[in-house]
Amino acid sequence: MVEQLKTFTNNVLALEVIDGFTENDEKLCQKFFQQKRDAGFDSINVMIKLDEMKLSKTSTKAFFEDVLWSLRNYQHMGHIAIVAHSKILKALVPIDNLFFERASKGRQERYFDVSEIDDAYAFVKGSRSQFLH
């Protein structure tokens, strides 16, 4: 199940995945993203909280549809903050950043532990230069 954590009037989208991620959840995420595009934002910063997600309840089809949709809409994605409590996700984010750095300077994906959720919000709300290393 996907829920919007907070709503923002700017280009920030904050979501949480609870339990599993289904095809309906994928469609809802696309709807939220499109609403930001329709509001006139060309680049959307996304914070997604995954600490309550259970892979056993996640649809493989929904996961792959999400990946394909993300690749098709990559040009409209700004910063991405992954909030979780997972050593695996923490290790995967630097690999994603290699792609981000090659594809577009200024975009960055960062991992935040659940205890750092305020920092994650600041990252997606703040200026790009503030968080580049």
Side-chain angles (χ1 to χ4, degrees):
M1 177 171 76
V2 171
E3 290 184 353
Q4 207 166 4
L5 286 172
K6 290 184 181 183
T7 56
F8 295 91
T9 57
N10 61 2
N11 70 330
V12 174
L13 187 58
L15 305 171
E16 178 175 22
V17 178
I18 301 168
D19 285 333
F21 186 74
T22 66
E23 291 174 54
N24 287 338
D25 295 326
E26 168 58 17
K27 287 178 181 30
L28 185 59
C29 288
Q30 290 177 19
K31 178 183 170 187
F32 289 143
F33 197 87
Q34 189 59 46
Q35 287 172 342
K36 291 290 184 183
R37 296 275 300 124
D38 292 345
F41 299 107
D42 191 48
S43 178
I44 293 95
N45 294 337
V46 180
M47 188 199 83
I48 186 145
K49 188 171 179 266
L50 299 171
D51 67 308
E52 301 284 330
M53 186 173 120
K54 294 176 179 59
L55 288 177
S56 63
K57 294 185 179 184
T58 296
S59 162
T60 303
K61 183 177 179 185
F63 172 78
F64 283 110
E65 285 178 5
D66 182 59
V67 169
L68 290 173
W69 183 89
S70 296
L71 290 172
R72 284 191 298 265
N73 291 277
Y74 176 77
Q75 71 274 16
H76 299 294
M77 291 184 190
H79 287 327
I80 299 173
I82 305 295
V83 179
H85 191 67
S86 167
K87 290 180 182 179
I88 294 170
L89 285 174
K90 187 175 183 177
L92 290 175
V93 166
I95 295 167
D96 283 352
N97 267 323
L98 292 175
F99 173 74
F100 271 112
E101 287 175 3
R102 283 193 301 266
S104 178
K105 293 291 181 191
R107 294 182 189 182
Q108 187 179 32
E109 181 176 350
R110 288 189 57 192
Y111 173 88
F112 296 87
D113 187 79
V114 176
S115 65
E116 301 171 312
I117 195 163
D118 291 336
D119 293 335
Y121 278 120
F123 173 67
V124 293
K125 291 186 328 186
S127 68
R128 289 184 172 171
S129 60
Q130 180 180 0
F131 293 97
L132 295 176
H133 292 47

